[in-house]
Amino acid sequence: MTPRPVHVRTIRVEVAEGDDHQLDVTATLVDERPAGNPKWFGATPPRVIHDMRLALRVRHPDLVITSVRSEMASHPYTVCPDALPPLEQLVGLSIARGFTREVDERFGRQRGCAHFTALIHALAPAVRQGAGVAFADRPEPEARERDDWFVNTCQAWREDGPLHRLIRVGDEAGLRALSAFPPDPEAGTD
């Protein structure tokens, strides 16, 4: 027998280049019960339990959040939307080192919504990666001034690991050799 999922969480984050050196970030979290829901206090809940959206404007290059919009299209309790106004506290935060700690202090546990906190945690690395793509044509800071935010974010980018050592000395050929993507034969070596 093939197992049937009883709960499916989907998190989606889209990062787009906006006007005036800004990023437009749209993040959604949807929780579904594809196998049906048991009665919930005498009622049959809908298939989609949570449908939450968060839209941010993020300024480049400091990655400071300049605006926030949030909504809950589906939620299990009438008091759940009380978690929306506090999300305005994201304005002014920089998605940089310490961001996760700041989010946990402001919205963790009883101070916010666990679902929005999970969504915010998921969007932060996507914003950093999106900024790298959207603003790739901007001059690269000097190596000593560069913010190597990605160091220690995973085992591949662990401090003093092979990727970190190569980027620290500016060895693009070494980084290219470790890439999982084959070089484009049509492209030059920029």
Side-chain angles (χ1 to χ4, degrees), residues 69-117:
R69 285 188 337 269
S70 58
E71 68 179 77
M72 289 185 186
S74 183
H75 48 84
Y77 299 103
T78 59
V79 295
C80 290
D82 293 349
L84 296 175
L87 292 171
E88 288 293 325
Q89 294 176 52
L90 288 167
V91 172
L93 287 182
S94 177
I95 298 175
R97 294 185 196 274
F99 180 72
T100 300
R101 183 183 67 255
E102 280 292 323
V103 167
D104 288 345
E105 287 175 7
R106 293 173 190 222
F107 309 110
R109 304 183 59 85
Q110 74 275 15
R111 290 180 299 279
C113 169
H115 302 90
F116 268 114
T117 301

Side-chain angles (χ1 to χ4, degrees), residues 24-177:
D24 292 322
V25 182
T26 305
T28 58
L29 179 146
V30 176
D31 282 338
E32 297 177 80
R33 302 277 169 81
N37 273 322
K39 293 276 187 207
W40 197 322
F41 302 109
T44 302
R47 177 182 171 115
V48 174
I49 301 298
H50 298 105
D51 184 351
M52 303 173 162
R53 301 179 193 299
L54 188 61
L56 307 175
R57 295 274 309 193
V58 179
R59 183 176 63 219
H60 185 265
D62 59 2
L63 301 183
V64 168
I65 298 170
T66 60
S67 71
V68 175
R69 285 188 337 269
S70 58
E71 68 179 77
M72 289 185 186
S74 183
H75 48 84
Y77 299 103
T78 59
V79 295
C80 290
D82 293 349
L84 296 175
L87 292 171
E88 288 293 325
Q89 294 176 52
L90 288 167
V91 172
L93 287 182
S94 177
I95 298 175
R97 294 185 196 274
F99 180 72
T100 300
R101 183 183 67 255
E102 280 292 323
V103 167
D104 288 345
E105 287 175 7
R106 293 173 190 222
F107 309 110
R109 304 183 59 85
Q110 74 275 15
R111 290 180 299 279
C113 169
H115 302 90
F116 268 114
T117 301
L119 186 58
I120 295 165
H121 286 169
L123 71 78
V127 169
R128 297 300 297 249
Q129 292 174 3
V133 174
F135 303 109
D137 61 341
R138 306 304 192 281
E140 184 71 23
E142 293 293 321
R144 68 183 176 285
E145 296 174 10
R146 185 177 54 227
D147 175 18
D148 292 339
W149 65 269
F150 44 83
V151 174
N152 289 329
T153 57
C154 70
Q155 64 82 29
W157 280 108
R158 68 189 175 277
E159 189 168 8
D160 292 323
L163 294 174
H164 183 229
R165 284 193 302 269
L166 291 168
I167 204 162
R168 200 172 51 223
V169 298
D171 184 353
E172 286 187 35
L175 287 166
R176 205 173 290 119

